[in-house]
Amino acid sequence: MDVNFEALLPELLLTLVACGVMTIDLFLPKEKRGLAFPLAFIGVLATLAAVLNLYGQNLTTLDGMFVVDRFAVIFKIIFCVAALLVFAVSQAYLNDDKDVPHGEYYTMMLFSLLGMLTIASSRDLIAIFVALEMISLPAFILAGIRKYDIRSNEAALKFFLFGVLSTALMLFGMSLFYGLTGATNLADISAGLAGRTDIDEVALLAILFLIVGFGFKVSAFPFQWWVPDTYEGAPIPVAAFLSVASKTAGFVGLFQVMFLGLGELADMWRPMFAVIGIVTMTFGNLVAIQQKQIVRLLAYSSIAQAGYMLVPLGVASATDGALNTQIIFSVVAYLLVYAFMETGAFAAATAFGRKTGKYLIEDYAGLFGRSPALAVAMAAFLFSLAGIPPFAGWWAKFVIFKTLIEGDGLVLAVIMALNTVIAMFFYLAVVKKMFVDKSEDTAAIAMPRSLAGAIGIAAIVITVGGFLPNLFGQLAENANFF
Amino acid sequence: MNLVEEWGITLAVFLPLLGAIVIVLTPKGMESIQKVLALAATGAALLVGLALTFAFEHGEPGMQFEKSLSWIPSIDSNYHVGIDGISLPLLVLSVLVCFLCIIYACWHIPEPGNAKAFLALILLLETGMNGSFIALDLVLFFVFWELVLVPMYFLIGIWGGENRQYASIKFFLYTLFGSVFMLLGFLALYFQSDPHTFDMLLLQESGVLDIPAGLASLIFGGLALGFAVKVPMWPFHTWLPDAHTQAPTIGSVLLAAVLLKMGTYGFMRIAIPILPGPAMQFAPVIAVLAAIAIVYGALCCLAQTNLKRMIAFSSVGHMGFVMLGISTMTPEGFNAAVFGMVAHGVVTGMLFFLAGSIKERYHTYEMPELAGMGLKIPKMAGLLAFCAIASLGLPGLAGFWGEVMALLASYQPLEGLDPTIFRGAMVVGAIGTVLTAGYFLWMLQRVNMGKISEKWKKVKLADVETLEYAAWLPLLALILVLGLYPRLIMDTTTSSVTALTETITGRSSGDDAHVAQVTDH
């Protein structure tokens, strides 16, 4: 078998970095263990450079299992950038929490990132499955890495049990498709399914199982129960990592399987996604209103955001390639914006929490008077998540609405429109706390440079992107397989 | 002059934004520098607005100073801007009022202070407002439209009165609720047009939009919901009294003078010319709602003891006259509407300034406590009387023309509309003017006349101060000038509103032909 090492370069490089960080950390004296951060950061930067080098190329290797195209490269860029932001946030967090082992922490993140890079290129059920597991297993450990904290243990255990169950079901679904078509390569599956009319029941069952697996990853209802507890118990940067990078990876896998492999069966899975998307966003938004704790609020909001990104699949078509292109474009555009606004919101929550050790929304009272820059940035992220101009979130929602209307999903669009209004309510509640309410404590929140950098970059990107959304648009247009 | 013609309207929109960015970058505590910067930015925008007025070909119906640049090619949206006789007066109103608001802010920044944030937000707000009046692309319009939400939310939420939290959230959610449906309407227009476009001017051309009648009504309903909340039309007005009453003085002035006009402008620029068929269908409904708003607003005013809340409710009635004018679909009606918008902006904006300054002195808006103001601070009382009389529609002052022309226009609405309903609305509206006169005169009686209450007898209060005069004189002059010389606005608007009516008659008969064809099949 010919292996094209050029196509695999980023993954190979990242594997070396991950192993390197792990090994070097073993030999470092205790007081120097902070070195893991710069090593991992530079390693990911190098990987990003290798990824950028592949932009515009079309390479296929490992018998068609592994493909480098614009879709893959753009998602690899998103993953690397998200990882860099999360690393910057982690650095501040780990300096405060002395019990978290630095080496293991970054190593696990790097391995999880490796899985993400791989899934973006995977065009084969087995490769996708392996990549997904590669993402999840380190994430289980990361969620429980504060092992002296009972809530962190709970977070990891819940995450693990749900994760294992859903992957098992997904694997079963994959095996059914193998049974139906005799292939694991997505293109072969698509060819094998074409014109078959005798497979309805089995295919339906198999699709359902697949949806369970991906639904868990992207936190779609009813597979979202682990999300709030895991986000709350895990270190916050890990929660950011899960809600941004890991969720994006779930969507990548979902696109590949649904559009490249099961495009023929779109009539079968389209209504499922319409229902799941609607229920997910409505559930997330309604429950978010009642939250008193910032991380739980962000958790439910991220569930709702997943709903926004799932509904476009509810208008997919088995025959209309242009519409499917538009669907992928809109969700990719949303994911691009989401990566910055969600990471930014988690970073701001980290910045606030590390000074006070508190995550209650109530404690945010008067933040504008204490640390105006932090309050303004947090408000920008929340407004962006809500989809209010001038922040880029408006455009992300706009393209989703546009896709829904184009696909004759007016009802879906109206329900989503109502959801944006509901969501505004709880985002505004946090903004109100920060800007309107007063607090007794007037001390400013001190911020280490890495954290301030991450927040600043995310805030600038979503503000500039709000005025010039084509910066995201061009990338998203390119990230398409059709 | 070339710079003005090429980039003038763009400058008018983005100079304030630039000012906001610069102010944010200055260190905290340099209040005087921030004030100068804000004055410079809004003043520059005002100068650009005046230069545009002089460069503008008055009497030409079409768009002028048009500019189209690629903005978001991935969704077919362009930075397409331009102004005609309908948008120019509103743009000038906006830049003028914003400048005066900054002057007023130099006199007084409300509690809890923080000039930097306060000024930056006003400038950001100005960008959104100016942009809404020049955008010729639906997406661009939507962005500017939504852009006003965030700064206005903060202005009310941080610097507002006691009940500011409730008022600010209500304002935000209400407007957002309307605007998401407006957005869905925009998208539906995009996909129903051939070739697909967000361009307002293209969408108005016959043949571009080919929609089944039922869907067209639905889309119009979505757009109308968004605009009606902003106007606000009865029964979507309930956010207004809270927001206007709780907002800081400058916030109320901007809300009343400019923000509300975005809704009526949306009807005239987007909903009616693009969907004239459904517009004709809905026109009687709008007329009835407008008539209800006029009487309802007046009755609510009669029940108020709070001066500011009374002024807020008077907006509901005045905007009712504007909507009544629009609903007739005639050039006279549209002229009345644009004139009414500007006049209401000037007069009610001024009234809110006065209410704010009175509160600064008396620490209350309650009319019984203000009794005897004519003895205590006579100049302020005189101005209040002047503006109240202008607002109630005395001939010779600005408030008169918009109201009387709207009433006249509704006697004879556009052909195809049932005159009975409109004449009914006219009668109701006329009763409304009597009630309006009633509550304003009663207010003057309670505030300006009467005995000074015990509490204020011994206390000395400052009368109108220099900076207040500086902020108010332009508005006071405009109230008089517009009242004596209404052609100042009409000369600019008439050709454009005539073209608007022509679009309606031309397009809706074309649509009728289309409907007939469909039934033939």
Side-chain angles (χ1 to χ4, degrees):
Chain A
M1 180 161 63
D2 272 344
V3 179
N4 183 342
F5 284 103
E6 193 196 349
L8 291 168
L9 184 63
E11 284 77 9
L12 294 173
L13 186 61
L14 189 60
T15 313
L16 279 179
V17 172
C19 295
V21 169
M22 183 168 65
T23 324
I24 292 172
D25 182 67
L26 284 177
F27 297 100
L28 282 177
K30 207 162 186 213
E31 64 276 9
K32 289 231 169 122
R33 58 185 190 166
L35 204 60
F37 167 69
L39 282 178
F41 196 86
I42 293 166
V44 175
L45 271 182
T47 311
L48 181 61
V51 170
L52 289 173
N53 182 41
L54 289 174
Y55 189 80
Q57 301 202 43
N58 274 309
L59 305 170
T60 306
T61 186
L62 304 176
D63 288 338
M65 250 193 196
F66 193 94
V67 171
V68 174
D69 52 11
R70 280 171 196 267
F71 178 86
V73 170
I74 284 172
F75 273 105
K76 287 179 194 198
I77 296 173
I78 302 182
F79 291 133
C80 287
V81 171
L84 288 173
L85 287 173
V86 170
F87 281 5
V89 179
S90 304
Q91 204 252 350
Y93 184 86
L94 293 190
N95 279 347
D96 296 336
D97 194 331
K98 302 289 179 216
D99 294 328
V100 178
H102 289 224
E104 281 90 332
Y105 180 92
Y106 288 110
T107 308
M108 288 302 136
M109 283 221 168
L110 289 169
F111 276 121
S112 192
L113 179 63
L114 178 59
M116 292 168 189
L117 294 194
T118 316
I119 202 172
S121 283
S122 302
R123 298 291 191 273
D124 183 289
L125 287 182
I126 295 176
I128 289 176
F129 178 75
V130 172
L132 275 177
E133 286 300 276
M134 183 89 164
I135 297 165
S136 295
L137 285 176
F140 297 148
I141 299 171
L142 282 170
I145 205 157
R146 298 173 67 225
K147 54 192 168 188
Y148 308 105
D149 182 351
I150 193 155
R151 285 186 313 156
S152 187
N153 287 314
E154 184 197 345
L157 192 62
K158 269 198 178 147
F159 188 23
F160 177 71
L161 290 177
F162 267 99
V164 174
L165 179 67
S166 63
T167 4
L169 288 172
M170 177 166 65
L171 193 57
F172 188 36
M174 288 178 168
S175 70
L176 287 176
F177 276 112
Y178 178 65
L180 285 173
T181 59
T184 57
N185 186 296
L186 292 175
D188 296 343
I189 291 177
S190 182
L193 289 172
R196 294 270 296 267
T197 50
D198 54 328
I199 51 168
D200 278 2
E201 291 84 3
V202 186
L204 188 67
L205 197 65
I207 290 175
L208 274 175
F209 284 146
L210 284 180
I211 290 181
V212 174
F214 287 116
F216 162 78
K217 284 246 74 101
V218 305
S219 68
F221 189 89
F223 318 107
Q224 89 302 353
W225 301 106
W226 60 276
V227 172
D229 293 334
T230 302
Y231 285 14
E232 190 188 0
I236 309 189
V238 172
F241 192 64
L242 290 177
S243 83
V244 176
S246 174
K247 185 177 289 205
T248 306
F251 274 103
V252 172
L254 193 63
F255 285 148
Q256 288 163 333
V257 172
M258 290 300 156
F259 286 106
L260 291 180
L262 311 179
E264 295 285 333
L265 303 178
D267 291 336
M268 212 179 269
W269 50 259
R270 180 195 317 117
M272 298 185 199
F273 282 107
V275 172
I276 291 177
I278 289 297
V279 178
T280 303
M281 67 173 80
T282 313
F283 172 86
N285 283 331
L286 288 180
V287 181
I289 291 178
Q290 304 149 18
Q291 299 309 312
K292 300 200 161 41
Q293 212 256 35
I294 192 76
V295 178
R296 288 187 83 86
L297 180 126
L298 287 176
Y300 281 106
S301 123
S302 91
I303 292 172
Q305 303 279 334
Y308 300 146
M309 291 185 265
L310 283 169
V311 267
L313 276 81
V315 295
S317 161
T319 48
D320 187 349
L323 180 60
N324 289 346
T325 305
Q326 174 64 25
I327 292 171
I328 294 176
F329 162 73
S330 63
V331 182
V332 173
Y334 204 107
L335 284 168
L336 276 168
V337 177
Y338 176 78
F340 288 98
M341 58 193 186
E342 181 83 355
T343 318
F346 271 105
T350 312
F352 183 78
R354 59 179 286 281
K355 163 83 195 295
T356 57
K358 288 172 180 173
Y359 296 98
L360 287 178
I361 294 169
E362 265 192 22
D363 300 327
Y364 279 73
L367 185 61
F368 180 55
R370 302 170 62 184
S371 285
L374 180 61
V376 169
M378 183 60 149
F381 298 131
L382 295 176
F383 279 126
S384 186
L385 284 167
I388 304 294
F391 306 108
W394 77 265
W395 185 72
K397 286 231 167 53
F398 183 93
V399 285
I400 300 269
F401 278 127
K402 182 161 177 263
T403 306
L404 292 178
I405 304 268
E406 181 171 6
D408 284 333
L410 186 63
V411 178
L412 299 180
V414 169
I415 298 176
M416 179 165 157
L418 292 174
N419 261 286
T420 32
V421 182
I422 300 174
M424 197 64 237
F425 190 73
F426 61 81
Y427 292 124
L428 267 187
V430 181
V431 174
K432 188 208 86 175
K433 271 279 165 230
M434 296 190 295
F435 285 83
V436 178
D437 292 359
K438 298 273 169 292
S439 77
E440 320 234 302
D441 194 349
T442 50
I445 310 278
M447 258 202 282
R449 242 178 297 160
S450 61
L451 192 51
I455 295 174
I457 288 172
I460 290 171
V461 168
I462 59 156
T463 312
V464 173
F467 284 102
L468 301 170
N470 217 47
L471 299 174
F472 295 114
Q474 246 165 359
L475 276 180
E477 263 188 338
N478 281 323
N480 230 310
F481 356 81
F482 299 113
Chain B
M1 250 3 202
N2 220 356
L3 180 71
V4 169
E5 283 172 17
E6 277 282 303
W7 294 104
I9 44 180
T10 302
L11 283 174
V13 172
F14 290 103
L15 278 175
L17 181 67
L18 185 70
I21 294 170
V22 175
I23 288 179
V24 167
L25 294 178
T26 58
K28 206 173 179 165
M30 303 172 67
E31 214 171 274
S32 44
I33 291 183
Q34 285 150 3
K35 282 173 176 170
V36 169
L37 282 170
L39 275 177
T42 48
L46 173 63
L47 286 180
V48 172
L50 292 177
L52 283 170
T53 315
F54 286 113
F56 192 84
E57 295 276 339
H58 299 270
E60 288 290 319
M63 283 295 159
Q64 302 184 28
F65 314 130
E66 253 185 281
K67 190 99 204 157
S68 188
L69 300 170
S70 174
W71 180 40
I72 323 179
S74 48
I75 54 170
D76 284 343
S77 174
N78 295 310
Y79 177 79
H80 185 189
V81 295
I83 50 176
D84 66 356
I86 299 174
S87 26
L88 178 70
L90 296 170
L91 180 65
V92 174
L93 174 73
S94 175
V95 288
L96 174 68
V97 172
C98 287
F99 179 65
L100 300 180
C101 280
I102 297 287
I103 295 184
Y104 192 80
C106 290
W107 177 69
H108 177 68
I109 302 262
E111 283 301 310
N114 196 344
K116 178 175 161 182
F118 189 70
L119 296 170
L121 285 170
I122 295 176
L123 292 177
L124 183 61
L125 185 67
E126 183 178 0
T127 293
M129 298 188 302
N130 292 355
S132 305
F133 294 133
I134 65 157
L136 294 178
D137 181 283
L138 292 176
V139 182
L140 191 63
F141 177 83
F142 173 76
V143 171
F144 283 129
W145 172 277
E146 295 276 86
L147 190 58
V148 303
L149 285 184
V150 172
M152 189 44 92
Y153 166 78
F154 283 123
L155 284 179
I156 302 175
I158 299 179
W159 290 275
E162 282 138 35
N163 208 4
R164 58 183 185 271
Q165 302 191 356
Y166 171 75
S168 56
I169 289 187
K170 192 173 179 182
F171 160 77
F172 203 120
L173 291 185
Y174 245 93
T175 322
L176 186 67
F177 176 80
S179 59
V180 286
F181 288 99
M182 180 184 85
L183 174 65
L184 294 185
F186 287 174
L187 287 166
L189 286 176
Y190 175 78
F191 285 110
Q192 294 296 327
S193 58
D194 183 28
H196 292 342
T197 179
F198 282 118
D199 192 300
M200 292 180 200
L201 301 184
L202 278 180
L203 284 167
Q204 291 176 25
E205 284 173 16
S206 50
V208 174
L209 209 53
D210 190 19
I211 316 183
L215 182 61
S217 301
L218 196 64
I219 297 176
F220 187 86
L223 302 184
L225 184 61
F227 299 141
V229 169
K230 198 81 162 186
V231 172
M233 280 166 71
W234 188 90
F236 306 108
H237 68 279
T238 60
W239 65 268
L240 179 137
D242 291 312
H244 280 218
T245 314
Q246 296 304 325
T249 302
I250 289 173
S252 316
V253 171
L254 289 172
L255 264 173
V258 190
L259 240 70
L260 304 188
K261 279 56 188 194
M262 288 165 59
T264 37
Y265 176 76
F267 273 105
M268 292 179 69
R269 170 69 64 229
I270 298 173
I272 292 173
I274 292 179
L275 294 165
M280 292 291 277
Q281 225 177 326
F282 278 93
V285 182
I286 295 176
V288 170
L289 291 181
I292 295 177
I294 294 169
V295 174
Y296 177 89
L299 290 177
C300 285
C301 285
L302 281 170
Q304 302 305 320
T305 56
N306 180 315
L307 178 63
K308 197 173 185 189
R309 207 172 164 83
M310 193 211 84
I311 301 171
F313 267 113
S314 80
S315 287
V316 176
H318 286 123
M319 294 312 277
F321 281 106
V322 174
M323 286 313 296
L324 182 62
I326 290 177
S327 71
T328 64
M329 306 281 162
T330 55
E332 297 76 31
F334 289 135
N335 250 343
V338 180
F339 196 94
M341 286 188 232
V342 176
H344 174 257
V346 175
V347 176
T348 309
M350 194 54 225
L351 279 170
F352 274 119
F353 268 138
L354 287 169
S357 283
I358 291 171
K359 163 99 187 244
E360 282 308 316
R361 290 160 171 87
Y362 283 89
H363 307 290
T364 181
Y365 293 121
E366 286 301 316
M367 291 191 242
E369 288 193 42
L370 302 176
M373 203 171 80
L375 297 170
K376 199 84 201 165
I377 36 178
K379 288 176 192 155
M380 186 79 77
L383 291 181
L384 182 66
F386 178 72
C387 296
I389 288 170
S391 187
L392 67 81
L394 189 80
L397 296 178
F400 172 71
W401 297 107
E403 292 188 10
V404 79
M405 278 166 49
L407 292 177
L408 283 178
S410 49
Y411 182 77
Q412 191 57 59
L414 191 65
E415 212 172 314
L417 295 172
D418 179 8
T420 331
I421 295 175
F422 284 84
R423 284 172 198 172
M426 183 185 81
V427 173
V428 176
I431 297 172
T433 56
V434 178
L435 291 173
T436 306
Y439 68 74
F440 268 119
L441 292 175
W442 192 30
M443 180 275 282
L444 287 178
Q445 190 196 342
R446 282 186 288 178
V447 174
N448 279 4
M449 327 253 165
K451 269 205 244 154
I452 303 173
S453 61
E454 283 301 320
K455 188 176 168 193
W456 296 110
K457 242 177 196 157
K458 301 262 161 57
V459 191
K460 198 161 164 39
L461 290 175
D463 212 332
V464 186
E465 292 174 20
T466 321
L467 265 179
E468 289 176 300
Y469 271 129
W472 297 346
L473 273 179
L475 292 179
L476 295 168
L478 268 179
I479 292 176
L480 198 60
V481 171
L482 289 179
L484 295 175
Y485 192 68
R487 281 180 58 189
L488 196 63
I489 288 178
M490 309 274 183
D491 279 353
T492 308
T493 54
T494 305
S495 56
S496 293
V497 294
T498 313
L500 178 54
T501 301
E502 276 161 14
T503 312
I504 299 167
T505 41
R507 285 275 312 286
S508 61
S509 59
D511 282 358
D512 289 342
H514 167 68
V515 173
Q517 266 175 12
V518 172
T519 32
D520 275 351
H521 281 295

